[in-house]
Every structure is written in structure tokens, then in C-alpha cells.
């Protein structure tokens, strides 16, 4: 069974540009989560999507946004990029039922803002 | 506000030894506590998890001990191997929000 996939692996942008990151969840999973792993700041929750709806949002500015498509894949958009947005962006997915809390991560997208 | 505190930040253990990583939490609404293992350049991998109605869970060489009254939980890695060298994160989930709140991570090095 394929795990969570993310694209691209690396992304280099300049300040002020927009970045789009993509995630495909494990087959059968309906929830997608986005986390930011920045150097020195650990892993921080960004967004949670379930059944196409944004369910929860972490303490990030509105220029971080996303969506979930009917096939449960998801997109994270970061507008007006700032240098401090440089980080590893991780996507995770989870299913429903008794094991619904288990979140499985993809390999991440390394975003570098110059 | 750091709701999950993890210690130590780094740990060096000899091959065959026991690695112990501790976490403490504040939010009593947390009801699911996973541990993740992350190798450089990779995403975190779910290692083992526990719910607060259980005081201990063992899977192979990995054991979680949970103390609900103290709001603490720990990961024990028995017979540590060089291949266990990685960064370990404890985490917690509050079902109301469904997002993982992570500890700061522990970089484990197992010396041959």
C-alpha cells in the first residue's frame, strides 16, 4: 500500500512569490494535515482538512492557505513568501474509526525562500 | 505555549543499552500519545502510541510508560542499536482539534 506522497521534493522561491505544495493521502484516508518543521521551531500544526472542509487551523497568518480536493488530495499555498517560511512542510493523513488518531506522514517538501 | 515538554534534547547511548526519553504535558484533554521517529531528510514515522487508560504498551524493543496523574509519559528503547540513531518526537492529540502537538524532539545517537 502506497504511503503519503508529496510534491515537489524541493522548492526554491524568492521573497514575495507564491508557493504551492501538493499531497496525496494514503488510499482510504479522508483527513489531511499540514505541519511546518522549521529549524529551531520544531513541528508545528498548520491546517487540517477533512471531507473537503478546513476543520482546524494553527497559529499561522492567512497567507498560509490550502484546500482539499474530492479525491482527498490536498494543496498548501503560501503567498507573499518571507525568508522565515523556509522549512520542511510535512503532510500527514489519517482515516476514521478506532485508529483514526493515527497520522502517517509523507517525506515532506523542502521550501527554501531566498 | 509549549504544551508538550520533551527531554533530553540529545542523548548518547552505547549499543545494547537502554534509551529513555521523557515527555510531560499540560492539557488534560489530550487523549492519544504517539511517538515518532525521524531520520534526516525523511518525514516522521509513527513508532508506537498509547491512550491514557493504559499504563504501559510494548512493541518489540519499544515501550511507552504512561503516568496519567503526573501527566508524564516516556519512551524506552531496549537493546539500543546504531540503526536507532534518529530524532524522536513525542506528541499528543486533543480530539477536539485533532492536530498533533509535538514535543521539541530528542536527537539519539547510539554508539557501536
Amino acid at each position: 500500500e502506497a504511503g503519503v506522497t508529496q510534491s515537489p521534493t524541493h522548492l526554491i522561491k524568492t521573497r514575495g512569490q507564491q508557493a504551492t505544495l501538493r499531497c496525496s493521502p494514503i488510499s482510504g484516508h479522508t483527513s489531511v494535515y499540514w505541519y511546518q518543521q522549521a529549524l529551531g521551531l520544531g513541528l508545528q500544526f498548520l491546517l487540517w482538512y477533512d471531507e473537503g472542509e478546513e476543520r482546524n487551523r494553527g497559529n499561522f497568518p492567512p497567507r498560509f492557505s490550502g484546500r482539499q480536493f474530492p479525491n482527498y488530495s490536498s494543496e498548501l499555498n503560501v503567498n507573499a513568501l518571507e525568508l522565515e517560511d523556509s522549512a520542511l512542510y510535512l503532510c500527514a493523513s489519517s482515516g476514521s474509526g478506532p485508529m483514526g488518531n493515527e497520522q502517517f506522514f509523507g517525506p515532506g517538501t523542502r521550501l527554501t525562500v531566498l | 505555549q509549549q504544551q508538550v515538554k520533551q527531554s533530553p534534547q540529545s542523548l548518547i547511548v552505547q549499543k545494547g543499552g537502554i534509551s529513555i526519553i521523557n515527555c510531560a504535558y499540560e492539557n488534560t484533554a489530550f487523549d492519544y500519545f504517539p511517538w515518532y521517529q525521524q531520520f534526516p531528510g525523511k518525514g516522521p514515522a509513527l513508532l508506537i502510541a498509547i491512550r491514557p487508560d493504559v499504563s504501559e504498551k510494548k512493541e518489540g524493543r519499544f515501550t511507552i510508560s504512561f503516568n496519567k496523574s503526573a501527566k508524564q509519559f516516556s519512551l524506552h528503547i531496549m537493546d539500543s542499536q546504531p540503526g536507532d540513531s534518529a530524532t524522536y518526537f513525542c506528541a499528543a492529540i486533543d480530539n477536539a482539534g485533532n492536530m498533533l502537538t509535538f514535543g521539541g524532539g530528542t536527537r539519539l545517537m547510539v554508539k557501536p
Side-chain angles (χ1 to χ4, degrees):
Chain A
E1 180 183 291
V4 176
T5 59
Q6 293 187 244
S7 63
T9 305
H10 295 92
L11 191 56
I12 299 175
K13 295 284 186 179
T14 55
R15 282 177 57 193
Q17 285 188 314
Q18 179 198 37
T20 298
L21 290 64
R22 296 179 177 84
C23 170
S24 290
I26 292 171
S27 177
H29 284 187
T30 61
S31 280
V32 169
Y33 310 82
W34 288 95
Y35 293 85
Q36 182 196 66
Q37 188 171 26
L39 204 59
L41 295 177
L43 281 146
Q44 294 184 287
F45 167 73
L46 260 167
L47 290 159
W48 168 31
Y49 292 95
D50 182 61
E51 298 286 356
E53 299 285 331
E54 182 181 302
R55 302 296 185 183
N56 201 356
R57 181 182 185 84
N59 189 24
F60 282 85
R63 57 191 187 81
F64 287 84
S65 65
R67 54 179 170 166
Q68 186 178 33
F69 299 99
N71 66 353
Y72 303 113
S73 67
S74 177
E75 195 174 86
L76 174 69
N77 294 294
V78 188
N79 293 318
L81 284 165
E82 300 179 1
L83 296 177
E84 52 265 35
D85 296 334
S86 294
L88 181 67
Y89 288 84
L90 293 159
C91 172
S93 73
S94 70
S96 56
M99 308 309 285
N101 286 133
E102 290 186 336
Q103 294 185 19
F104 299 91
F105 283 83
T109 293
R110 173 73 62 185
L111 173 64
T112 302
V113 183
L114 303 175
Chain B
Q1 180 188 7
Q2 186 185 8
Q3 294 193 51
V4 180
K5 294 184 180 179
Q6 184 172 345
S7 63
Q9 286 186 314
S10 62
L11 181 62
I12 300 174
V13 172
Q14 289 295 127
K15 179 182 175 183
I18 302 173
S19 303
I20 301 174
I21 304 171
N22 300 299
C23 285
Y25 63 97
E26 300 166 7
N27 186 350
T28 55
F30 287 148
D31 66 354
Y32 174 76
F33 302 87
W35 284 87
Y36 285 86
Q37 178 190 58
Q38 186 176 30
F39 293 104
K42 305 289 186 182
L46 180 62
L47 205 54
I48 187 173
I50 198 168
R51 294 195 182 276
D53 54 347
V54 177
S55 61
E56 187 175 280
K57 183 175 181 179
K58 183 176 181 179
E59 288 184 2
R61 296 185 294 111
F62 300 91
T63 300
I64 301 179
S65 298
F66 189 86
N67 186 329
K68 188 175 180 178
S69 61
K71 293 186 284 186
Q72 294 175 346
F73 58 111
S74 60
L75 176 69
H76 294 229
I77 306 174
M78 313 300 286
D79 187 26
S80 298
Q81 300 296 313
D84 296 331
S85 298
T87 300
Y88 292 81
F89 292 94
C90 63
I93 286 182
D94 165 6
N95 259 340
N98 229 49
M99 72 280 196
L100 287 162
T101 298
F102 284 91
T106 296
R107 184 171 290 184
L108 171 66
M109 180 185 297
V110 181
K111 289 193 168 181

